[in-house]
Amino acid sequence: MKRRDFIKSAFALSAFGTQVPVMALGRKNQFGRIVQWDTDRIIVLIKLNGGNDGLNTIIPTQDDIYYNARPSLAISPNDALTIDEQNGFHPNLSAFHSLYQSGNMSLIHGIGYPQPNLSHFRSSDIWVTGSDADQYLQTGWIGRLLEQEYPDFPSNAPEHPLAIQFNSANLLEFKTSGSNTGMMVFDPETMYNLINGNYVAGEDDPAPDTYGGTELDFVREVDLLSFEYAEVINETAGQGSNSVEYPETNLGYQMALTAQMISGGLGTPIYRIYQSGYDTHADQNNDHSNLLLDLNNAVLAFMEDLSNQGLLDRVMVVTTSEFGRRYFENGSTGTDHGSSAPCMVFGSQVVPEMFGEQPSLSNLDQNNNLFIQHDFRQLYTSIITDWFGLDTEISTNVFGQQFVTIPFVQTPLSVRTTPIPAKFKMHPAIPNPFNPSTMLSYTLPNNGNVTIRLLDLRGHVLKTHPLGKQNAGRNIFKLDGRNLASGSYIAQVEAAGSVLNQKITLLK
Amino acid sequence: MSSLPLSRRAFFKGGKASRPDLDRLNPNWPTKRVAKLIRNNLKKNSPIYHPPKVDELPPVLPVTHSTESLQVVDWDMGAARHLLCRTMFGPKYPEIKEASENPLETELSSILSTVSLPDPPGEWVYEPAPQWDALTGEEIQELMNQYREWMGELRYWWMKGMMRNPINIQEMITLFWHNYFATAQSKVFFPQAMYQQNSVFRQFGLGNFKELLRQVTFGPAMMIWLDIHQSKDVEPNENFPRELLELFTMGVDNYTQDDIVEAARAFTGYRTNGVETNYSFEEASGSGPWWNEWHDFEEKTFLGQTGNWNGDDIINIIMEQDATAVHICTRLYKWFVYQNVDETIVNEMADIFRNNDYSITTVLYFLFSTEHFYDENFRGADIQNPLTLMQGLIRKCGMEEFHFSLYYFIHSQEFLGMLPLEPPDVSGWPGYRSWINSITLPVRKVQASSVITGQSPWGNFDVTTNVRALAQSMYDQNEEGYASEQIVRKLGFLFFGNPLSENLEGRMLSVLLDGAEPYDWAINAPPNNPQWDRMRDLMVYIMRVPEFQLS
């Protein structure tokens, strides 16, 4: 194989475990967003790894069976943060409480799947592959989703990672039949420091004071520099920032990093975060409470951060888990594996309601576990069709059947608030990429003033060309890049009371 | 650091300026017509990637200089792993365990014993050189295609063979001598000659060094490679004598330019057609018309000694010099121990070498018995060369019998930088840190992971490592603690030269468990249980961490 072809089509891994190709030129589609880049929507999925105890997260404050079955674990109606008559939040979820009341949170009860499997691995696999309990799929639902947008993946992949996963080496969720669309960041703290220039290789795990250690240091240094998406992530995330302090926990780092990447303009639409420790078979009180507190604080910081930066409208956060836990406590003041559990959705574009209700603790399945109220694939289908605004055919292709959506998404993919006159158009710049100049062209419905601006990817105006009055019809403007550095820019045309943008790339 | 980051532009540069493999070709050999075809064929191939050399030596650390034999109590699993990983490709966990339970002497005897030679890759190794002038242009091209195919077979045969030997050094010593007497097939051109050289390394590689040197020098491959066969009394060729003195025996500063000139005169009149030579081992001399015509029979003065020297005489004189033993032992040390050389140890090795008729077995036996060799400093100090990395990994994972494609074996090595039979030049592969740069490191990871994923840039395949069998081969039910934790520790032991740090162990365990508890993981879980998928994830994770590169 010629080296050129290898680089374009093969995989390359880094310290962070990516399995992505070297960057190629972008492609126009919903995710590429070359023309309408500022309407990206993003989903942040948080897996509560181990099986979250839903009943102690959203407490059934009126259910006697709950209180009888959990003498040491049940949370009293006084301690719970009241949602309504039947429901209360765990006391550590104060931020969730406020978010729900301020209309930024949605609650969905009873998410699971028929014939629940009580094994971590198997149940997790079912969730990530989006299969039935008796199916064994080898690809992930996100993989099958992204594959429809990028059929040749990894050829013709965009410049940014399609999906980023933190903290788990299991990339099955993003696996396609030929490849894997997920990029793994196994060490978010390292990556965070790397982007922000604070990283010292091996600082948290110093190499031994031997020749073996010396060589290890060397390999670690090369490792950092070989990180495949280093360029685009450093460029974008490096320009992003956090406007609040995040908890200094593993989850906190993951969310801080996600927010920073979004803030910097990284085009990745899907993030998967892992928070581990939910497998609370013993001494659940402390462990679960601490986890929920961490989750509470991290999500709050994230929401505030994005809100401060005006990014919240584009982002939705969803918690998932491979199963819930039993309604009764075991002999070790813990709970064992169960079936369904609630999911929580956060964002400014969610319907602030509860979908479903507290599960019945008397009417149970053959394993004495809770019946499901919603299939998890309904949750994912809603994300695909309502949040990302994709065709139902796409979600049907992902899951092999059509699932009824859960209407927790408030608005469809955002449309422009100012209607553009039917004939004001911007045509693709030619050439693009370019060096040293390119022709921007646009069509005006009427004679009018036109201003052309050049912006960087973060939206800062670099140059302004007030063109004055231009004629109706098609016009051309030559943009000279001789004094610019190589890279991507936004060419913006303002006319007829509207603004149109287009991404152009200078390659010297 | 000079190797970071390597720009892809520099990496791809395969223009005329960077084709030394074309420049060193002899335009008249084996005939003018054939030489032209050889050159054209080579030009069509992309240049082999040779990673840039990393020059700086690492800082010297305090290491024991003790040449005392290793204490019995120190011969443990770690020591056994260290010894086996340096002397063979990919020792498996049970093999290391068993070795640690035998006395060190027993293991060294096995490792350094002479084992039988493998069968040759094909009957073609006995093919004589053709009468080039009797062939048409088409026939020549066809024969060249045939040679190319055989060369590929030779490579494949050798790479497969690296994994065949249980506790024995034959394969490793063969690679060592290939790097030492680095000879490239792009110039030698005859696969028969390359095979012959390879079998010389195997057959003579552990015996007396002088005999090995003679065998290599007067084999067709070396005669072509360093232009011995072009050297005539009217125009003696200095290429071989220079490298003989500088690289193969005494090392720089131990001789003068005059010595090279005189030695060049002695190495005249030898001839090969690519398969046969005009040298007789019994007579220790060339013979026949070419020899009579072109050998310089006059007196020469070499290293202060005067006589009508021929090539053998030069070799004899060199082997009498003290510097020779030191130089050879230094190179042995650098390969088997570390690039920072310990003078005390090397001097002791040189003494033993000289006093034991330059027996390679004896000097290695000594080296592998010393406390110095087993010093903690050297654990994980070896940045594995691409062949040790891949072939060792395949064997450790139990996949040595699988029929990987030729493409997979060989083209990957083109990229990683250690294509067998094609060292960058006669000084061998620079090695050490030069193996690792921002281009090769990601590829090393991908290629390594392929034994689990079945996917590599050079082909996909269906059969991959049986992780369940691997886990069970390591598991000891008499050890306390959860199976999952035991397996993590032992995988760390098998694949990392450095001791497993707590941090890394913790991360590995969380990859294996993926949110579950340690007791959720069972050594006897049936093969289709998804816990084994997590173990596969763990294996891939192991191959991605920097520690994996070191042995």
Side-chain angles (χ1 to χ4, degrees), chain B residues 328-439:
Chain B
I328 298 167
C329 290
T330 302
R331 290 201 67 172
L332 282 167
Y333 183 95
K334 280 180 149 180
W335 177 277
F336 286 104
V337 187
Y338 192 54
Q339 49 183 322
N340 281 348
V341 178
D342 186 307
E343 307 253 335
T344 315
I345 303 293
V346 163
N347 286 332
E348 183 75 22
M349 282 170 76
D351 272 340
I352 292 176
F353 204 33
R354 275 184 227 106
N355 295 333
N356 283 280
D357 204 23
Y358 294 89
S359 156
I360 294 151
T361 296
T362 308
V363 73
L364 285 180
Y365 192 102
F366 164 72
L367 177 63
F368 297 150
S369 312
T370 59
E371 287 183 319
H372 174 83
F373 182 74
Y374 296 98
D375 190 298
E376 296 296 319
N377 262 289
F378 300 124
R379 311 292 167 94
D382 181 36
I383 294 181
Q384 298 181 80
N385 66 50
L387 285 170
T388 309
L389 182 75
M390 281 314 302
Q391 307 311 94
L393 174 66
I394 291 173
R395 191 170 187 280
K396 282 181 189 173
C397 290
M399 286 203 66
E400 67 271 23
E401 296 299 325
F402 180 69
H403 188 83
F404 291 97
S405 74
L406 193 130
Y407 209 67
Y408 175 91
F409 264 4
I410 289 172
H411 291 249
S412 60
Q413 289 301 333
E414 279 185 7
F415 202 97
L416 297 175
M418 200 177 198
L419 182 65
L421 310 182
E422 195 66 35
D425 57 46
V426 65
S427 61
W429 282 279
Y432 308 109
R433 293 183 177 190
S434 70
W435 296 126
I436 306 273
N437 58 46
S438 55
I439 306 271

Side-chain angles (χ1 to χ4, degrees), chain A residues 205-254:
Chain A
D205 195 359
D209 206 2
T210 61
Y211 282 135
T214 319
E215 300 303 326
L216 179 58
D217 277 335
F218 169 76
V219 181
R220 280 174 168 173
E221 292 218 31
V222 180
D223 206 20
L224 281 181
L225 290 167
S226 326
F227 165 39
E228 195 50 51
Y229 272 137
E231 278 176 61
V232 73
I233 292 207
N234 270 302
E235 240 178 65
T236 54
Q239 293 167 21
S241 61
N242 299 129
S243 65
V244 304
E245 298 243 329
Y246 283 78
E248 279 180 20
T249 61
N250 189 283
L251 178 62
Y253 274 109
Q254 293 180 67

Side-chain angles (χ1 to χ4, degrees), chain B residues 123-225:
Chain B
E123 286 297 306
W124 56 259
V125 306
Y126 306 119
E127 273 290 304
Q131 298 290 346
W132 295 106
D133 294 328
L135 299 175
T136 67
E138 258 174 34
E139 286 171 324
I140 293 178
Q141 185 61 61
E142 213 179 283
L143 189 60
M144 288 171 71
N145 292 343
Q146 182 69 262
Y147 278 7
R148 197 189 149 102
E149 209 180 288
W150 289 339
M151 206 67 86
E153 273 179 41
L154 177 59
R155 286 196 168 108
Y156 189 89
W157 166 87
W158 187 12
M159 288 181 72
K160 198 89 201 278
M162 284 173 186
M163 301 184 285
R164 75 187 180 105
N165 265 337
I167 323 295
N168 186 272
I169 202 177
Q170 185 188 91
E171 293 301 331
M172 187 59 83
I173 207 77
T174 304
L175 184 60
F176 170 76
W177 290 124
H178 178 47
N179 182 62
Y180 190 98
F181 291 110
T183 306
Q185 62 88 32
S186 55
K187 180 169 178 183
V188 170
F189 177 61
F190 285 88
Q192 304 92 313
M194 295 304 294
Y195 169 77
Q196 194 270 348
Q197 191 186 65
N198 190 282
S199 60
V200 159
F201 294 149
R202 283 169 201 287
Q203 208 173 342
F204 298 95
L206 282 177
N208 166 287
F209 178 80
K210 180 159 87 169
E211 187 54 33
L212 172 66
L213 179 58
R214 280 184 72 217
Q215 292 284 342
V216 174
T217 300
F218 297 114
M222 181 59 74
M223 288 178 71
I224 299 165
W225 172 241

Side-chain angles (χ1 to χ4, degrees), chain A residues 72-95:
Chain A
S72 26
L73 293 184
I75 294 173
S76 76
N78 289 335
D79 290 337
L81 305 173
T82 309
I83 303 174
D84 61 23
E85 276 185 12
Q86 315 279 344
N87 298 274
F89 279 115
H90 185 287
N92 279 353
L93 297 177
S94 53

